Amino acid sequence: MADLLDDIAARLTQDYQFKLKAGGKYLQEGVCPQCGDQSMWTYAASPWVVRCQRNNNCGYEAHAKELYPDLFESWTDRFQKPEEVKPAEQRNPNAAADAYLRLGRGFDLALIQGLYTQETYADPRADQGRGASSSTVRFQVGVTWWERIIDRPQRFGKKKAHFKAGAMQGTGGRCLHCRSRRQRRPRRNRCCPTRCRRPCAPRAPTTRGCLRSNRHRPSSGWWRASSTQSRWRTTALRPSRC
């Protein structure tokens, strides 16, 4: 972690002419790319976001991942390969996954420790047919698993994350979350957080009048316009049966 933050701070100092201030706590007087003033600042120990202190006149703000995306492309090369030179009993098999979740996604590892593992994914068709492999962060989800590619995911096209191949086989086409059959058509109301498009449980209609008859059809909610009056007047719609 320290080497990544050091690299970010070194690049900020070189590109935007930051200076250490307040006893080394802040990086200040950086040249703002938007207004041109020496008004940018960030924390020296965690330079994740740089901000222009002219909030009303400028308000420029940028994340380190936007400024230097190359530093966040390969977590394996930066964090996992140094583990290979350590003795076997001191190696961390999840070093790249830990760094990705902590530094790349901002998770507190103490809260999710043991819920994920570091795996490897390879696709011979990736990277325009040249083939590619990457470390992944894998989470167990019910009877299957889901994993996220963390090393240069753009090589795999739109496949940055995926479930286990064939995970839905043998489930009868049912969603693993709500156990309902998958719907082909999207519904307006959904109760399942997954993409099975299960419709919500039927709710009580806004009116108990018969909607198959114009005589009982409401204009909006519990009210309708009276057709017996020369001017529009809202009257309560009473329940009726067909």
Side-chain angles (χ1 to χ4, degrees):
M1 176 178 177
D3 59 342
L4 176 61
L5 297 177
D6 292 342
D7 290 347
I8 296 174
R11 290 225 190 160
L12 290 175
T13 303
Q14 179 181 358
D15 297 341
Y16 300 98
Q17 303 174 14
F18 277 97
K19 300 177 182 178
L20 280 174
K21 297 288 185 177
K25 184 178 181 180
Y26 298 102
L27 289 173
Q28 294 179 327
E29 297 183 6
V31 179
C32 178
Q34 184 165 294
C35 65
D37 290 349
Q38 292 183 340
S39 55
M40 278 209 307
W41 70 276
T42 186
Y43 294 100
S46 55
W48 294 115
V49 180
V50 293
R51 297 181 175 90
C52 179
Q53 64 185 9
R54 302 176 67 223
N55 296 328
N56 296 332
N57 298 327
C58 179
Y60 176 79
E61 180 177 311
H63 196 279
K65 293 178 66 175
E66 302 172 359
L67 299 176
Y68 308 112
D70 57 299
L71 297 179
F72 300 86
E73 285 188 347
S74 181
W75 300 90
T76 301
D77 293 340
R78 180 177 289 273
F79 295 97
Q80 194 63 48
K81 287 189 175 181
E83 296 290 323
E84 299 177 358
V85 300
K86 297 181 181 180
E89 61 275 5
Q90 298 180 4
R91 296 177 185 173
N92 180 11
N94 298 332
D98 292 347
Y100 173 79
L101 292 174
R102 183 180 180 184
L103 303 178
R105 293 299 179 179
F107 282 97
D108 185 356
L109 298 184
L111 300 178
I112 61 174
Q113 200 69 37
L115 301 179
Y116 64 92
T117 58
Q118 179 177 319
E119 307 294 340
T120 302
Y121 175 77
D123 187 353
R125 297 171 296 180
D127 199 10
Q128 299 180 355
R130 292 188 290 266
S133 62
S134 169
S135 296
T136 64
V137 181
R138 180 178 296 181
F139 291 87
Q140 192 70 26
V141 182
V143 297
T144 183
W145 47 257
W146 174 90
E147 64 181 0
R148 175 67 158 84
I149 297 173
I150 62 176
D151 295 331
R152 295 187 294 275
Q154 65 273 11
R155 298 175 298 169
F156 301 87
K158 296 182 179 180
K159 195 175 184 180
K160 296 181 179 181
H162 57 272
F163 282 92
K164 178 182 179 181
M168 296 303 297
Q169 296 181 1
T171 62
R174 295 179 180 272
C175 173
L176 295 177
H177 177 82
C178 62
R179 303 297 180 183
S180 65
R181 290 192 177 276
R182 289 176 172 265
Q183 304 289 335
R184 288 184 177 273
R185 294 182 180 180
R187 299 299 181 92
R188 184 175 182 180
N189 297 324
R190 304 177 189 175
C191 63
C192 179
T194 63
R195 293 186 178 180
C196 75
R197 299 188 178 94
R198 177 192 177 192
C200 288
R203 295 185 296 178
T206 57
T207 174
R208 287 178 289 177
C210 175
L211 298 182
R212 288 180 292 177
S213 173
N214 290 331
R215 183 171 60 89
H216 295 133
R217 188 176 302 233
S219 61
S220 62
W222 284 88
W223 306 91
R224 67 181 175 85
S226 175
S227 60
T228 60
Q229 302 292 334
S230 59
R231 59 187 178 85
W232 288 100
R233 181 172 60 88
T234 57
T235 58
L237 182 65
R238 296 180 179 179
S240 62
R241 293 184 179 179
C242 294

